[in-house]
Amino acid sequence: KFLPWQSLPESLLKNPKAHELDLEIAPRLVVYGHCTLDPKTPCPVNLYPKCYGCSSFRPSTGKLPLYERQYHGEQQRLTDAEKAGAELASEEAKATIEAMNKWLPELRRLADG
């Protein structure tokens, strides 16, 4: 299931696998979900791994456990980075958490509902 307020292209509904974003680039650049852009077209704004804040990103309830794990990992990363004074890591973790805060609560409700 996708969030109900999101407009979805027909190709995403017919073939979600083609729009899947599951990227894991070492050491921690991870993105799960789907992109509404044409899968044959490379990302025009090169947002990887900032997809979570992009208007073309669509999370799905099927990936909720991955989002939850990543969300908690980013919170831990933020705490560790702040303790160590690692400004860049702190900013990256903060940006990911803020982006996820915009859609994760509603996705949880949809999954529970």
Side-chain angles (χ1 to χ4, degrees), residues 1-6 21-22 30-34 49-71 74 95-111:
K1 286 184 193 174
F2 296 94
L3 294 182
W5 51 264
Q6 295 173 325
L21 279 175
D22 292 6
V30 182
V31 177
Y32 303 110
H34 298 80
K50 297 180 180 172
C51 300
Y52 291 166
C54 178
S55 61
S56 297
F57 175 74
R58 298 297 182 265
S60 69
T61 54
K63 298 186 185 302
L64 189 57
L66 299 171
Y67 299 136
E68 295 288 6
R69 186 182 71 206
Q70 185 175 12
Y71 187 77
E74 289 296 326
T96 301
I97 290 167
E98 286 172 9
M100 292 180 90
N101 280 338
K102 292 180 181 163
W103 50 261
L104 191 56
E106 192 171 346
L107 194 67
R108 286 177 183 136
R109 280 194 297 277
L110 183 62

Side-chain angles (χ1 to χ4, degrees), residues 32-43:
Y32 303 110
H34 298 80
C35 181
T36 60
L37 299 175
D38 184 331
K40 295 178 189 80
T41 311
C43 179

Side-chain angles (χ1 to χ4, degrees), residues 1-18:
K1 286 184 193 174
F2 296 94
L3 294 182
W5 51 264
Q6 295 173 325
S7 57
L8 302 171
E10 200 171 313
S11 62
L12 173 59
L13 294 172
K14 285 183 177 173
N15 187 6
K17 210 76 174 139

Side-chain angles (χ1 to χ4, degrees), residues 4 6 18 28 49 70 78 80-82 91 94 99-100:
Q6 295 173 325
R28 64 150 291 285
Q70 185 175 12
L78 179 60
D80 295 347
E82 286 174 344
E91 288 302 313
K94 207 178 288 181
M100 292 180 90

